[in-house]
Amino acid sequence: MTVKSVGIRDVAERAGVSVTTVSHVLNDTPHTRVAEETRVRVRDAARSLGYGPNRMAQALRTNRSGLIGLLSEEIATTPHAGRIILGAQDAAREHDLTLVIINTEREAEGSAHRNDVQALIDRQVDAILYATMYHRQVSLPPNMQGLPAVLIDSTDRAGIVPAVVPDEVGGAIAAVTHLVEAGHTRIGFLNNDDDVPATHLRFAGYRQVLGEHGIPFDESLVASSPSETLPGYALAREMLSRDDRPTALFCYNDRMAMGAYRAAAELGLEIPRDLSIVGFDNQELIAANLFPGLTTVALPHYEMGAWAVETLVHLIHGEAEFRLLADKPTLLHCPLVIRDSVAEPRAN
């Protein structure tokens, strides 16, 4: 018994369109005018018949492989940022593209980064996404030049590659405004001590809210350390031991907030009755499992991954206006995730 292979003419007949239209839709040919209703009908027909274009023939004809490289600087091994990959994968599937992922070390030598990029080039990727562990400036390997590229959660020192980053200032504003609206005026800030954009931008958001609400800035209510649980605990323990302790803490990230929970418990302070706390990152393994649940700011990892792929598709198709996005990074909203760690300050 022989099985009849399905061809492009079968798809055209099922969808009631020309073979040329089917080719334009399934190959995502740029600058073609095909109604969205027709595109849906063609894709449905191809799916129902089990038809897929021959990738090798398609690559020879279009000089495109249908592959996008993702150079992931440690994020593939960090659970709270894996949604970057998920967002990129989902967007890639929408355009019938395949993601090729290489994980690299943040502290790798320049030659190692170049080798990782070359490995993607050797696999004939059409474009490259470069995603970093957290928001900062990077210098791109020189062999990335000439390929369409987009940066995720970082910016290009040379300012020639489009980038997408979280709106760190906006996220901090949302967090501190939430505390002010609950009635707090003595708000401590446990900040990171690394010289990265997030450190300065979250501090800027903190100060902006205080200024907008007429709350005097108190330098003694700001302390910095490595942004991990034990340093956060030490800073919080010291700040909360003061006679004039703050009634609320805004923490650079959820790990520092977890340390603050421990410090509060040791000092006999109940959250949120005696102390309100807001974190940043929405690291769900931490934020959703603290008691009470931690109110925090979510980083738009999934959205950044999806935005980056959509932008890459435009660049692959040669839409020059999207190169202008390199002039300044695109900011994505960081929503406040409200749980149970904030209440109005307790009356003395």
Side-chain angles (χ1 to χ4, degrees), residues 77 137 179 185 335:
T77 57
Q137 282 193 327
L179 292 170
T185 56

Side-chain angles (χ1 to χ4, degrees), residues 158-312:
I160 59 176
V161 174
V164 60
V165 297
D167 182 2
E168 307 275 9
V169 173
I173 287 173
V176 181
T177 298
H178 186 60
L179 292 170
V180 171
E181 290 178 345
H184 296 277
T185 56
R186 285 191 62 74
I187 302 170
F189 181 30
L190 307 186
N191 200 7
N192 181 27
D193 64 357
D194 285 338
D195 184 17
V196 293
T199 300
H200 307 295
L201 295 173
R202 294 178 192 183
F203 177 61
Y206 166 79
R207 290 209 61 172
Q208 181 175 327
V209 174
L210 297 184
E212 288 176 350
H213 290 82
I215 300 172
F217 171 66
D218 184 345
E219 190 174 353
S220 72
L221 292 180
V222 178
S224 302
S225 72
S227 57
E228 298 296 337
T229 300
L230 289 179
Y233 158 78
L235 291 185
R237 175 95 194 196
E238 181 178 355
M239 192 176 291
L240 296 175
S241 297
R242 296 167 40 167
D243 291 336
D244 60 345
R245 67 171 180 84
T247 61
L249 292 177
F250 170 44
C251 300
Y252 173 83
N253 63 18
D254 296 344
R255 296 189 299 277
M256 296 186 84
M258 182 163 62
Y261 267 57
R262 175 183 165 186
E266 289 183 359
L267 293 170
L269 301 175
E270 183 179 329
I271 301 169
R273 187 189 65 171
D274 304 309
L275 176 71
S276 290
I277 299 180
V278 176
F280 209 112
D281 287 356
N282 194 33
Q283 223 173 317
E284 289 198 18
L285 286 175
I286 296 174
N289 291 291
L290 288 171
F291 186 81
L294 175 65
T295 292
T296 185
V297 177
L299 288 169
H301 290 126
Y302 181 94
E303 293 79 5
M304 288 192 294
W307 183 96
V309 168
E310 293 291 341
T311 301
L312 266 190

